[in-house]
Amino acid sequence: MEQIRVALAGNPNCGKTTVFNNITGAKQHVGNYPGVTVEKKEGRTKFDGHELLFIDLPGTYSLTARSLDELVARDVIINDNPDVIVNVLDASNLERNLYLAAQLIELEKPIVIALNMSDVSEDMGFKYNTELLSKLTGATIVHTVGRNNVGTEALLGATIDAAKANKAPNVIVPYGDILEPKIVELQEEIEKVPTIIYPSRWVAIKLLEKDADVQGKIMRLENTGAVLEKAKAIREELKDQVDLDVVFQEYRHRFAVDVFNTITVELPTTTETRSDRYDKILTHRIWGLPIFMIVMWLLFNFVNTVGAIPQGWIEDGFTALQEWVVTVIPEGQLQSLVSDGIIAGVGAVLSFVPLILLLFLGISFLEDTGYMARAAFVIDRVMRACGLHGKSFIPLLLGFGCSVPSVMGARILDNYKDRMVTILITPFMSCSARLPVYTLIAGAFFAPEIAGTVVFAFYMAGIIFGIIFAKIFRKFLFAGEAEPFVMELPPYHLPTLKATLMHMYERGILYIKKAGTFILATSILIWFITTYPMDVQYSKDYEQLHEQVSQAYEVKDAQVLQQFGITTEEQKVVVNDIVDQMKSTVEDATAEAEENEEDAPEIEVEDDSEAPDLFADIKAQNEQLFPAAWGLYKNSVNMEDENGKIDEEQSSEKLEQSYAAMFGKAINPILEPLGFDWKIGVSLVAGLAAKEVVVSTLGTIYAVGGDTDHPEALTTYLQNDPHFTPLVALTLMLFVLIYPPCVAALAVIKRETGSWKWVGFMFMYENVFAWIACFVFYNIGRALGF
């Protein structure tokens, strides 16, 4: 048999995604449906000698095409022609879920119903007659427990059987004595037109509902004028007898209620569930909001504290990789490109992968438990004070992962004003791309025990700014009352490790792909503009300066050898060997200190400095020659320091004449009042492409301007930059929080709002506000002496 195409449909929070993950595992592909921004997930599996392609439709309560998600779900079924529809129903909330099932029945495709969360419904006290449910819906019924992967094989077997039988449900949703004759009359007219390939009864119902999408589809077909005229005439005839805007929904709801009442053998004996008991605490009028704040604080401290450990490993790995590249690639532009451009830029971003994964892990866990829906309920009071809908919290929460799905998620809001205000304040929610900037700067300038709190403070500041601007927009741009909060609260679940890790993987892999493609390209561009032009006119002859230092220390070394009576070549060789032993000892001690997270040993090398205890063993083994070796060691360290300062001055002068510096200095008059230099200016402009690029840009700039033979972590470069004070660091974090989102998010905003006007408005108001807020913050900090 050929590949079986399966459309997986269900309400939000019914466990559909868990069922999808159980079936397809890692064999998933995520993209967008053609022409729209709705995410498309497909997964493949093999079972009983058959290959099945599962299309995970957007979670929706209805197929009336009021939203883009509903329209996409419906179009996949009627246009892509799946062999089977698998409708995942929440058995603990079956009456509500059957409303969608009623609409799927009308599409006349073979249906399998996965009665999911069966364990939860049984614990609540529900018992159903599934044979009767099968008869009333024309579907095959399978019990599943998605989170425990129970019933998956039975579901696959039933899906294959339904595809082989290719039998549509022999059931109709009745619409009463007034509507039914008219539906049949229009259906007969439709069946006369061979170009209409959709189910005739479904088309008749949709035309009588005046479904704009279906009307458009039929209008574009040939010889359908008579059908459309007939539908218009029947609507005119019925308008005084029934309310056509709601009557079809009423009958579908009545069908769902009748089916539920008929198949329910036993109802719960108690009205209070375990979820209800938890909600008494977590959604408490007084304690609900503080609990939510504590949960978020714990999440961000967990991310920063735990993530810092593997982040350090990755940073060390990339530093070692840079050092290795310098040894295998000859000195020149290729070495600089690979070491300073690619490794320093992409490596700076990839080092934050553990933090991103942990953030997604935490959010996925909270989503899967059902707590996030409660958080929306709790935060509704705050939202309402701003004139926003409580459900705005859901897309805004998505903004902590990525602004793109956050903007798209605003579709769940039916009210245009609520939707627009939500979209306009979404960028204030710190997306995961901002997290690398926050953690980099917080880790560089603040102690580990408070770095997480600093990051959390900026996340909270974003929420506060969002609330303030929502209030402003609601008052001046989108005046009017907000709609009442109505949202289904799913039962609490203990998430499965597999499902939570799958969600984390799906989101994390997109971040890694971005680092491997877009950020790689940007890093190469930044390397180019910071490295070129090559023909720099230096103010000094740096080669001559190096030569002068070398000659000066040759004289000092000769004086030391003469002072201690070292005259023969054999003695000089031994002394130099002792110096090498001292250097190796320092290197080993430094490496050990780093491994134990301790301070590296500091060795005084002034003229009158005594040898430290670190060299006690070497001194004991070479008592006569050690004083001369100690003198040469001090000369060697001092010479390296002087040459390092010359190299640093030369690199800095070259960097100051680069294309990047020219551009940065051109915009510097705008950013200088905020305490920013040209390096920060270049990184902020690059960050408009993607916020992670702020980090990769700084990594590339400092690597190009640093010591290529001994590369350091970006945090070390920042700490050593005299211009980068803690106040400047905090101001930069504030600017990154406020200024516009990435280009991808702006493109989605254009598509969702349908106008470049709103994109331009957002770009302007966020840049202006970012400048004003940072100007005030920086200058208050300076006035207070920071």
Side-chain angles (χ1 to χ4, degrees), residues 558-587:
Q559 291 173 345
V560 169
L561 294 174
Q562 183 179 359
Q563 177 186 350
F564 292 101
I566 308 300
T567 56
T568 68
E569 288 300 320
E570 290 79 8
Q571 288 177 316
K572 292 178 182 178
V573 168
V574 174
V575 170
N576 285 326
D577 286 343
I578 297 172
V579 173
D580 290 339
Q581 290 179 42
M582 296 163 75
K583 290 180 179 179
S584 297
T585 300
V586 173
E587 289 175 2

Side-chain angles (χ1 to χ4, degrees), residues 132-149:
L132 193 53
L133 176 61
S134 177
K135 181 180 178 181
L136 294 174
T137 60
T140 305
I141 311 299
V142 179
H143 287 273
T144 61
V145 181
R147 68 188 186 89
N148 294 334
N149 201 13

